[in-house]
Amino acid sequence: MHEMGICDGIVTAALETAAKERAVCINSIDVTIGVLTEIQEEALQFAFTVITKDTIADRSALNVTMLKARSVCGECAAEFEHGRFDAKCPECGSFVCSLLQGRELRIDSIDID
Ligand SMILES: [Zn+2]
């Protein structure tokens, strides 16, 4: 389960930020995750509960925004959403497409006290 390692990175970054700000408590962490990272939100939430135990993020909420994969067609310039393995233009059927979104893995904001 690679969510554990990824979540560890998120929590470590949040704790470092909180320490710099001399926070006593982390209320929530907002993250954006693209579907192509293959991260499962449920697994990430589970990892978050485990990793934040006995830290100042113990009672915090992990707010996850999942982004679909999105590409632009190299032939007709149509933009379209697609699943993990089917980046094919729905307008012209071309497979010559460039990924626009879907690999995101970022912390948007951290709410601390
Ligand atoms: Zn096309």
Side-chain angles (χ1 to χ4, degrees):
M1 186 169 91
H2 76 145
E3 282 85 356
M4 201 58 95
I6 285 160
C7 194
D8 194 46
I10 292 169
V11 172
T12 299
L15 289 174
E16 280 173 7
T17 301
K20 263 183 227 155
E21 303 287 331
R22 297 202 172 84
V24 291
C25 173
I26 296 177
N27 298 317
S28 63
I29 303 171
D30 293 357
V31 295
T32 294
I33 288 165
V35 68
L36 296 177
T37 59
E38 296 186 22
I39 292 169
Q40 300 294 324
E41 183 177 352
E42 277 176 33
L44 193 66
Q45 293 288 1
F46 173 76
F48 188 72
T49 306
V50 173
I51 291 166
T52 56
K53 196 173 187 318
D54 300 326
T55 71
I56 63 166
D58 199 358
R59 291 174 196 282
S60 65
L62 181 67
N63 301 316
V64 180
T65 302
M66 294 298 296
L67 289 181
K68 288 185 174 170
R70 189 170 177 82
S71 288
V72 59
C73 177
E75 305 279 354
C76 74
E79 286 187 22
F80 58 98
E81 287 185 345
H82 55 87
R84 274 154 59 186
F85 306 111
D86 55 351
K88 178 187 172 191
C89 178
E91 298 295 326
C92 72
S94 173
F95 285 98
V96 186
C97 302
S98 309
L99 192 71
L100 296 174
Q101 94 178 15
R103 292 198 178 281
E104 290 76 3
L105 175 52
R106 65 168 185 262
I107 298 174
D108 295 317
S109 63
I110 302 168
D111 183 27
I112 53 177
D113 273 332

